[in-house]
Amino acid sequence: MEKRKDIDMLRFYEGDLRVRTSGGTLLFKDFSKDPENPQNKLWGDKEAYRTLNALLFDGYNNEQERIQKEGRQLNPIFIELLEETLDIYKGVFSTMCVKKEAISSASKVRRVDRKASLSAYEKGHTESFVSCSKGPYGTDFSKKNQVILLEIEIPENSPYVDYQQVLQGEYAKWDEQEVLFPPFLPLDMEEIDLSKREKLSIHDMHGNPPVGKYLLKMGEFPDYRKTITFSKEELLEKLLSGKEEAAICLKKMNAGQWDEDFQEYISWKENLHDYLKLVYSDMWYGE
């Protein structure tokens, strides 16, 4: 097997675990044969996007929402194998930077999200990758604690990726019609009215209708090199030296030890965010 391509990082993010051979063929691999192998724990995680996104939010409220309220475990291996994780983040963003002649066939896309995510959008930028659909609101994605509906205007001059365009015949979930926006992208938000149909047809994990609907207007990706004073090298050193403690903190969250002090974890994530902002700025604007 050869080194994973950027397009394969994008497939992995959306849950496609097939591995590309040196001849370009995609094959299924049984990662369960050696479950304690760290590489298998990472590349065999079909819900990797949950952990990858949680690491992009400030603080640890998102982790608490996913673990404590929704009963989902996050995967500390993405911190322990930091180099591979950074390659995933870079690979996904790289697919967003490729200029294509064709544009998305939709001007707006849709997403079912948590009410808890509102505080992130109110900050004026995306914190994690934001997955949306060109199709109708997907009820399969509404099984969260208190949901909101989002309509998102597709920006012309900012990075994003349309799965159907980029993956084409390799797209394993064609019916989801997914469009993915990057973290750290500026946005404006306004509340809009829910329709009667949306109130009746979409329900959260408790059977309740959406608690609100919002329109997000994405802006141009900033050049964070103008505002972040640390270098990529300095930030990477901080990330590598602190990853063991950060992974321990996430394991404690999975175990329900919410009375612990997670300040080291929070600080580690802040360095991760600044590092990725610099990397993404280089990729979007050119080094």
Side-chain angles (χ1 to χ4, degrees):
M1 303 292 175
E2 60 182 19
K3 179 178 172 60
R4 292 174 186 256
K5 300 178 180 180
D6 292 339
I7 197 171
D8 294 325
M9 299 300 193
L10 181 66
R11 285 192 308 97
F12 174 73
Y13 176 87
E14 62 105 23
D16 185 349
L17 304 185
R18 290 176 295 173
V19 178
R20 192 181 302 276
T21 68
S22 57
T25 303
L26 293 176
L27 297 177
F28 289 98
K29 179 179 177 180
D30 186 0
F31 292 97
S32 64
K33 286 185 176 180
D34 187 5
E36 296 307 311
N37 183 322
Q39 293 289 329
N40 286 348
K41 287 182 179 180
L42 190 150
W43 297 111
D45 187 347
K46 194 173 182 62
E47 297 183 337
Y49 72 93
R50 298 189 190 278
T51 305
L52 291 169
N53 280 345
L55 293 177
L56 295 174
F57 283 92
D58 291 338
Y60 64 92
N61 288 340
N62 188 266
E63 286 85 342
Q64 195 165 20
E65 182 79 13
R66 292 174 187 269
I67 296 169
Q68 189 175 36
K69 295 184 179 180
E70 296 180 4
R72 305 182 189 277
Q73 297 275 289
L74 298 179
N75 194 343
I77 200 68
F78 286 95
I79 300 176
E80 296 170 0
L81 298 184
L82 179 62
E83 291 86 350
E84 280 89 340
T85 300
L86 293 178
D87 282 343
I88 295 168
Y89 283 134
K90 294 172 187 175
V92 173
F93 190 80
S94 179
T95 64
M96 299 178 173
C97 295
V98 178
K99 296 292 185 181
K100 298 171 288 296
E101 291 183 5
I103 61 172
S104 175
S105 58
S107 60
K108 288 183 182 179
V109 288
R110 298 162 189 82
R111 174 177 172 84
V112 181
D113 211 333
R114 300 170 180 81
K115 180 185 177 183
S117 298
L118 271 181
S119 59
Y121 297 125
E122 287 169 346
K123 294 177 182 178
H125 60 266
T126 56
E127 286 195 285
S128 68
F129 290 103
V130 179
S131 175
C132 308
S133 175
K134 295 183 293 184
Y137 289 108
T139 56
D140 290 344
F141 300 99
S142 66
K143 305 311 176 187
K144 303 169 183 176
N145 180 50
Q146 290 192 305
V147 299
I148 57 174
L149 304 184
L150 301 178
E151 281 190 2
I152 301 178
E153 292 187 356
I154 295 181
E156 293 183 5
N157 300 314
S158 282
Y160 70 91
V161 65
D162 183 327
Y163 275 74
Q164 288 182 327
Q165 284 185 14
V166 174
L167 295 181
Q168 298 182 15
E170 294 182 355
Y171 187 23
K173 300 178 181 179
W174 190 265
D175 59 325
E176 291 185 7
Q177 304 180 63
E178 188 173 359
V179 173
L180 190 67
F181 296 99
F184 322 127
L185 189 64
L187 62 86
D188 290 320
M189 180 178 71
E190 65 177 271
E191 188 168 6
I192 55 180
D193 292 332
L194 282 159
S195 70
K196 291 183 179 179
R197 181 177 180 180
E198 289 164 348
K199 293 178 182 178
L200 292 172
S201 62
I202 301 172
H203 300 92
D204 70 3
M205 62 187 294
H206 307 295
N208 299 318
V211 296
K213 184 177 179 181
Y214 300 85
L215 173 65
L216 303 186
K217 298 179 180 180
M218 301 298 192
E220 293 188 16
F221 193 83
D223 189 347
Y224 286 102
R225 298 172 298 186
K226 298 177 180 178
T227 56
I228 296 174
T229 56
F230 288 108
S231 69
K232 287 186 296 184
E233 291 73 23
E234 290 172 315
L235 290 166
L236 182 58
E237 183 178 348
K238 290 174 181 287
L239 290 172
L240 292 171
S241 63
K243 68 176 185 177
E244 183 176 343
E245 181 59 34
I248 291 172
C249 286
L250 187 54
K251 290 175 182 177
K252 289 180 177 179
M253 292 181 200
N254 281 334
Q257 299 175 23
W258 298 106
D259 57 342
E260 297 285 333
D261 181 4
F262 295 125
Q263 187 54 51
E264 287 192 49
Y265 177 79
I266 294 170
S267 298
W268 186 87
K269 289 211 303 182
E270 289 172 351
N271 289 327
L272 173 66
H273 303 166
D274 282 349
Y275 175 78
L276 289 174
K277 287 175 181 177
L278 291 176
V279 169
Y280 288 174
S281 294
D282 280 343
M283 294 172 70
W284 184 244
Y285 290 101
E287 293 191 56

